[in-house]
């Protein structure tokens, strides 16, 4: 390699348009964390198995550690920092995770939330099995997932205008 | 009273004190991406460091050529053992009394061992530079099997110890031997076996695995040459200990070292020890004069920092024909890898493995442990357990099942028959512990009643007949496990880390307006201390938990503590919090008496303040007292309202529980499906039931993973296999079973609030429950013990061995 | 884990992409979803000097009916396969297989083209394509050619794809209505490659199997078409003896390596079990037989 190539990219991140020059090999997760200072998106495994780096791109959830920033050129990205509602109130998922104790160390949480957000647009009223399958690209080491499932059910109910009734044990 | 006066229940509810399912305060930042983990911290001018690691399991290093890397623009330094030698930092002491090479000193002893530390402007250049460093090796013979470690002709793995016949824990029998540790009455135990009506004897191996928190180990070191001060941010479960060790090693005075643990993305024992990355980041910062960040990647994490288990336990039970155990004899071969970096209290080379008598009243027992070196990564940490307690619980709980099988007795009945009885507490075990409290019969009976244990056994009997008739290819297994943990190290008389006594601490300050800041020597990694510590204070001092800020991890401000691992936070720091609060309460009582113009003895505590006995209308809330403490203290009393407590526990605490697992195993594929898992935990007084339930879910999930497939494996030439999340089994939401939780409450009599700790119980009790279920499934086919992990291919092989 | 440096190219057309791959030579690689390539690059097991990003290339998208079959553009993602009503209706095996690949996020970016073209024996779609008798459309400097999936795979990461060629589409003949299809995959967990997996498509008349095709995933250096196993089930109503014979025939051609999923012997046995289970499932799905 001779001269390092840098390329201009334009992305909309959490509603704001951003223009930057990046090296082509810059991973999207590093672009978000290092260049834009959006450190809510985490890195947990480096091999696209853990999902801690999950963000939303153009309505889809992807792993930002396995995407080059240049591939995101022209797209609209939402990270956990942009999850709250426009009026500043917390998203139903953020509320659900707290109410149902869906997190402990918090490291998987941003990726889990961003995956769950897209899951609920794909399937607004998922069953427990569908939730488990839908978040299977996100590893959590702390919770055993049971309360994450409840948190997503809580959010689904709220987004559907219902109150979440916890299933009796 | 008017209608606006809150009722007592309302006043109590407002506190959100102990026993309530308080929602976590941490979640507000974590759900908005506003946690502050080490890798989120960016200091001006910060560099990035990473390691060149060994390709081989055992090799002499003939040459390290860093010239190409140093020529790469953006590379500032390449540090090897040669550079560390003049500083005396090329080796570091381990927690277990051994030494470990910070960077390979002439040879490597395990694959991926640290050889050189490359420092560059950013992580991209660092990674490029790593590819350019050439290391020339001369391969040496490798030992991966601990059973071959002490063969007479085994290669010398640690020439630095050559000729040393004693180590940190006594005599060494062989050049690859680390220690022998024994406890119990050998003669009496041998006699019990000689007299026994029936005995069982089995090698029970607990394979090597890894705690693998989602956030890897990381650190940032920043040395200020002008002030001579060092600041280190890191994923430290025990930040104060890191500060002390850093001072002892670097000779920088301890007051000039600022260690900060910010938010930690899970620990599970991985973040207790001191690693080469920390030392190298510090040295690199001193060398370059700029902050240096080190972040492990996942392969490095799984293959270098802190494995767990690798215990090979030969367990024997002696018993009467009617199922009364008369003696226990255990020998352990402990594989410690290339350096003994076991994270145990320093005097305990096998941790608290002598809890191996479990929940049973055994008259005699004897235990001996031999630690050996192999060409594997160092560690031996307590992966979500108190020190070596998971291994002990697995050993005894498998052994009890093996004995039950030989006796033809139901495993639950055998346990009931041998339990320590409620009236025997405090109970002196044959291997030296004083169990604080328990009601084992009650707990197991409740578990059996809840799951319908006898019906399950009947169903299993019918299924076995159906299997024999060829009507099904599924085997049903019922796993019972009853564990007693030993947590809360502590007592400083027998627990220290490198001489630092294992107490813990709390400092509570009430501000004039009645809100509180409190700091502890513990450090949450997901346990929710900011939530639960405030609940203890709320109950003790009558200030709403929402008005209490908890701060941990900053060694400049927090009182000295030994950190969070081994389920020690609630037993030790939790006690310190209660004791500090009580100091404040005593002073508050004096102030209240002054304000109410009565004697202190005329006052009684009532939820959120003091009231005059017999005249409850006359009262002062803690909030009113706080204002007065600063602005109108009684004459002669110093102003202010704060206290510090250093708590040295009088004893450990002994949480326990009864777990029952029901599974179905498809013998054609070896795939096991968990049908039901019930966990009853008794952790004494329950501070926050929601958080306890969360801890149990998480611990059971880790137990499930470990028992059913999670393994760090080496091939015969020392290559570590499958050190990524493709192969290392971390279950997703799909594989993870549904958990049922339950509880009994037997408070600890010696703990100020009666709490015992719970975070690790589910791992301790969970693993034997899964393994017992697997073994129970195969038992009727003539199998006695199948080694873990119970992944599909191994269960299929077991089935085939048994001819099905 | 950081990828090595490379130069990035973003062609707009297939011709342009092929032109770049030809002119840049062996040190260039096409980048589709990147879900296999980027991890390999982060491990520095792949260090291409040039990446030709297919993300902007027209003509690689779309799932279209064409005479005799359907054409799936190489850049169609696994998620799009799962979401396609046409595929769910006519080629449910593709959906079944796609659902068992990796996880939701990876399926969002991972493409059909990447999965079949990179020659990783762990990938699921190659065996499915062999089972279905699919062919691959390869665009090269001298135009397009078509290669049968059954001929395409030569060894691990070694295929008939020539340097400078790009896989642009997969063509699958549509089975007539009533076929039973199944993909049975044994894996350790979500996100894993198969310990062993089997793809089956069959038709039946009057309760007997009329046609059958069987292929195996990840039990050899390439996907395997289990012709003998398929031959054995034709004409039967899948009695126990036939299932056993078909399993044995599949096991006979399997040549798996030992890995973390199990011993070679276990994985070979599992090839047989997956074939039997896929056969039973597919037979149960035959309509109007």
């Amino acid at each position: 390699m001779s001269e390092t190539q840098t390329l201009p990219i334009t992305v909309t991140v959490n509603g704001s348009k951003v223009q930057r020059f990046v090296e082509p090999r810059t991973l999207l997760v590093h672009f978000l964390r290092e260049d834009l200072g959006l450190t809510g998106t985490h890195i947990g495994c480096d091999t696209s198995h853990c999902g801690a780096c999950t963000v939303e791109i153009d309505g889809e959830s992807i792993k930002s550690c396995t995407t080059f920033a240049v591939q995101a050129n022209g797209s609209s990205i939402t990270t956990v920092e942009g999850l709250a509602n426009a009026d500043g109130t917390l998203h139903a998922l953020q509320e659900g995770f707290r109410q149902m104790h869906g997190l402990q160390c918090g490291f998987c949480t941003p990726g889990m939330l961003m995956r769950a957000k897209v899951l609920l647009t794909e399937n607004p009223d998922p069953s427990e099995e569908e939730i488990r399958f839908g978040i299977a690209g996100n590893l959590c080491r702390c919770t055993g997932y049971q309360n994450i499932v409840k948190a997503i059910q809580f959010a689904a109910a709220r987004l559907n205008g219902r109150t979440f009734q916890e299933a009796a044990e | 009273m008017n209608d606006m006066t809150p009722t007592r229940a309302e006043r109590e509810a407002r506190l959100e004190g102990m026993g309530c399912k308080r929602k976590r305060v941490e979640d507000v930042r974590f759900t908005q991406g506003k946690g502050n983990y080490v890798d989120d911290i960016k200091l001006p001018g910060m560099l990035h460091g990473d390691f060149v690691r060994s390709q081989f399991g055992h090799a002499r290093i003939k040459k390290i050529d860093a010239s190409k890397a140093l020529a790469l623009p953006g590379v500032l330094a390449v540090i090897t053992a040669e550079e560390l030698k003049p500083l005396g930092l090329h080796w570091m002491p381990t927690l277990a009394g051994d030494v470990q090479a910070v960077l390979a000193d002439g040879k490597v002893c395990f694959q991926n061992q640290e050889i050189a530390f490359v420092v560059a402007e950013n992580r991209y250049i660092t990674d490029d530079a790593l590819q350019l460093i050439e290391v020339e090796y001369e391969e040496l013979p490798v030992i991966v099997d601990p059973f071959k470690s002490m063969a007479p002709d085994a290669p010398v793995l640690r020439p630095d110890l050559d000729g040393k016949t004693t180590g940190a824990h006594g005599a060494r029998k062989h050049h690859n031997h680390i220690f022998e540790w024994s406890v119990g009455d050998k003669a009496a135990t041998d006699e019990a076996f000689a007299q026994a009506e029936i005995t069982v004897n089995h090698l029970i191996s607990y394979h090597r695995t890894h705690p693998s928190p989602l956030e890897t180990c990381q650190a940032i070191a920043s040395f200020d040459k002008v002030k001579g001060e060092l600041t280190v941010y890191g994923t430290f479960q025990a930040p104060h200990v890191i500060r002390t060790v850093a001072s002892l090693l670097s000779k920088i005075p301890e007051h000039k070292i600022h260690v900060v643990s910010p938010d930690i993305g899970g620990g599970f024992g991985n973040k207790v020890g001191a690693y080469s990355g920390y030392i190298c980041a510090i040295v690199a910062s001193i060398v370059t004069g700029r902050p240096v960040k080190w972040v492990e990647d996942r392969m490095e994490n799984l293959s270098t920092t802190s494995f767990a288990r690798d215990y090979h336990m030969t367990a024997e039970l002696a018993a009467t024909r009617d199922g009364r155990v008369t003696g226990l004899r255990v020998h352990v071969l402990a594989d410690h890898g290339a350096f003994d970096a076991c994270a145990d209290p320093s005097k305990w080379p096998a941790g608290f493995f002598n809890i191996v008598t479990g929940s049973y009243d055994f008259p005699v027992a004897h235990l001996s442990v031999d630690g050996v070196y192999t060409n594997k990564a160092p560690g031996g940490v307590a992966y979500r357990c108190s020190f070596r307690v998971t291994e002990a619980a697995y050993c005894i709980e498998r052994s009890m099942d093996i004995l039950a099988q030989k006796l033809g007795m139901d495993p639950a009945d055998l346990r009931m028959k041998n339990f320590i009885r409620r009236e025997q507490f405090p109970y002196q075990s044959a291997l030296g512990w004083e169990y604080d409290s328990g009601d084992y019969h009650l707990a197991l009976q409740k578990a059996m009643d809840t799951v319908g244990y006898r019906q399950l056994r009947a169903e299993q009997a019918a299924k076995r007949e159906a299997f024999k008739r060829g009507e099904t290819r599924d085997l049903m297994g019922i796993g019972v496990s009853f564990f007693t943990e030993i947590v809360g190290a502590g007592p400083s008389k027998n627990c220290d880390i490198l001489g630092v006594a294992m107490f813990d601490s709390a400092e509570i300050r009430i501000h004039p307006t009645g809100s509180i800041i409190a700091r502890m020597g513990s450090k949450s990694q997901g346990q929710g201390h900011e939530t639960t510590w405030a609940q203890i204070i709320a109950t003790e001092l009558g200030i709403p938990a929402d008005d209490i800020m908890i701060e941990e991890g900053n060694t400049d401000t927090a009182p000295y503590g030994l950190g969070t691992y081994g389920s020690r936070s609630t037993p030790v720091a939790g006690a310190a919090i209660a004791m500090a609060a009580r100091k404040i309460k005593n002073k508050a009582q004096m102030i209240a008496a002054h304000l109410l113009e009565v004697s202190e003895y005329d006052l009684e505590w009532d939820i959120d303040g003091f009231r005059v006995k017999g005249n409850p209308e006359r009262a002062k809330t803690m909030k009113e007292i706080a204002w007065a403490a600063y602005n109108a203290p009684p004459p002669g009393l110093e102003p202010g309202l704060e206290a510090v407590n250093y708590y040295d526990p009088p004893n450990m605490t002994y949480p326990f529980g009864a777990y029952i697992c029901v599974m179905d195993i498809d013998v054609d594929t070896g795939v096991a499906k968990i049908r039901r898992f019930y966990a009853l935990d008794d952790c004494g007084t329950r501070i926050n039931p929601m958080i306890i339930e969360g801890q149990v879910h998480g611990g059971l999930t880790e137990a499930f993973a470990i028992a059913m497939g999670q393994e760090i494996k080496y091939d015969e030439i020392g290559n570590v296999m499958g050190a990524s999340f493709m192969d290392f089994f971390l279950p997703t939401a799909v594989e993870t079973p549904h958990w049922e939780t339950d509880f009994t409450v037997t408070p600890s009599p010696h703990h100020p609030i009666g709490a015992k700790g719970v975070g690790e119980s589910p791992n301790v009790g969970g693993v034997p429950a899964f393994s017992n279920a697997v073994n129970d499934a195969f038992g009727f086919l003539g199998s006695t013990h199948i080694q873990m992990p119970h992944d599909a291919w191994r269960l299929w092989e077991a089935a085939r061995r048994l001819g099905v | 884990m950081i990828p090595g440096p490379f130069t990035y190219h973003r062609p707009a057309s297939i011709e342009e992409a092929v032109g770049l791959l030809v002119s840049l030579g062996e040190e260039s690689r096409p980048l589709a979803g990147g879900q296999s390539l980027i991890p390999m690059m982060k491990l520095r097991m792949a260090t291409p000097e040039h990446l030709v990003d297919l993300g902007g290339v027209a003509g690689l998208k779309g799932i279209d009916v064409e005479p005799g079959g359907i054409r799936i553009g190489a850049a169609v993602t696994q998620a799009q396969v799962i979401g396609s009503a046409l595929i769910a209706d006519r080629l449910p095996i593709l959906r079944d297989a796609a659902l068992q690949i990796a996880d939701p996020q990876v399926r969002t970016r991972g493409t059909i083209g990447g999965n079949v073209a990179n020659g990783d024996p762990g990938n699921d779609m190659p065996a499915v394509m062999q089972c279905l008798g699919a062919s691959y459309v390869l665009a090269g400097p001298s135009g397009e050619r078509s290669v049968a999936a059954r001929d395409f795979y030569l060894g691990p990461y070694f295929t008939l794809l020539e340097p400078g060629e790009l896989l642009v589409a997969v063509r699958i003949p549509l089975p007539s209505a009533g076929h039973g299809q199944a993909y049975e995959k044994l894996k350790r967990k979500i996100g894993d490659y198969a310990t062993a997996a089997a793809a089956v498509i069959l038709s039946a008349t009057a309760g007997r199997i009329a046609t059958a095709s069987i292929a195996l995933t990840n039990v050899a250096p390439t996907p395997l078409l289990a012709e003998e196993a398929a031959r054995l089930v034709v004409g039967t109503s899948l009695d126990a003896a036939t299932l056993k014979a078909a399993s044995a025939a599949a096991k006979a051609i399997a040549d798996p390596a030992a890995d973390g999923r199990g011993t070679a012997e276990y994985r070979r046995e599992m090839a047989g079990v997956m074939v039997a289970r896929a056969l039973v499932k597919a037979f149960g799905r035959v309509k109007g037989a």
Side-chain angles (χ1 to χ4, degrees), chain B residues 669-742:
Chain B
T669 58
V671 172
K673 197 165 163 37
I674 311 303
R675 191 200 302 181
R676 189 168 184 190
F677 197 104
Y678 168 89
L680 179 149
D681 274 280
D682 191 321
C683 57
T685 303
R686 291 156 59 83
I687 300 167
N688 182 328
M690 175 191 85
I691 284 183
I692 290 171
E693 189 194 53
Q695 290 287 311
V696 174
H697 287 175
L700 291 175
T701 304
E702 289 185 352
F704 165 68
I706 293 167
M708 305 312 287
Q710 186 182 87
E711 184 185 19
I712 295 290
K713 213 175 148 184
Y714 286 80
D715 71 8
E716 65 280 8
I717 56 166
N719 293 311
V720 59
M721 312 295 283
S724 80
F725 282 172
M726 165 70 88
D727 287 301
F728 188 73
F729 180 49
L730 296 186
T732 74
V734 169
E735 295 82 36
T736 302
H738 179 85
W739 309 114
E740 294 171 56
T741 58
D742 203 347

Side-chain angles (χ1 to χ4, degrees), chain B residues 359-391:
Chain B
S359 314
Y360 311 107
D361 181 18
F362 295 161
V364 291
H366 183 259
L367 161 70
S368 62
V369 183
D370 280 299
V372 296
Y373 292 120
T374 58
N375 291 119
K376 301 185 198 165
V381 299
Y383 169 9
R384 203 170 185 140
C385 69
S386 193
F387 316 101
R388 300 294 187 184
V389 175
T390 34
E391 290 93 325

Side-chain angles (χ1 to χ4, degrees), chain B residues 99-134:
Chain B
V99 288
Q100 176 175 351
V102 174
L103 290 171
D105 183 15
K107 88 170 200 161
V108 286
C109 295
F110 66 95
Q111 193 182 44
N112 286 355
Q113 186 177 341
E114 301 81 1
I115 292 177
F117 192 67
V118 177
V119 186
E121 291 288 347
N122 63 49
R123 65 183 93 205
Y124 282 63
I125 300 172
T126 303
D127 212 74
D128 291 342
L130 291 179
Q131 322 299 324
L132 298 174
I133 293 178
E134 289 159 14

Side-chain angles (χ1 to χ4, degrees), chain B residues 70-89:
Chain B
L70 284 165
L72 188 72
V75 174
L76 279 91
V78 176
I79 297 169
T80 66
E82 292 310 311
E83 280 73 38
L84 295 179
K85 264 177 202 166
L87 306 167
L89 288 175

Side-chain angles (χ1 to χ4, degrees), chain C residues 9 11 52 62 67 72 107 114 124 129 131 155 164 176 192 203 205 210 224 232 242 252 258-259 264 284:
Chain C
H9 307 269
V52 178
I72 305 178
R107 292 194 292 267
D124 293 280
M129 295 303 165
C131 179
S176 56
D192 195 13
S203 63
T205 46
L224 296 176
L232 287 167
T242 301
D259 64 11

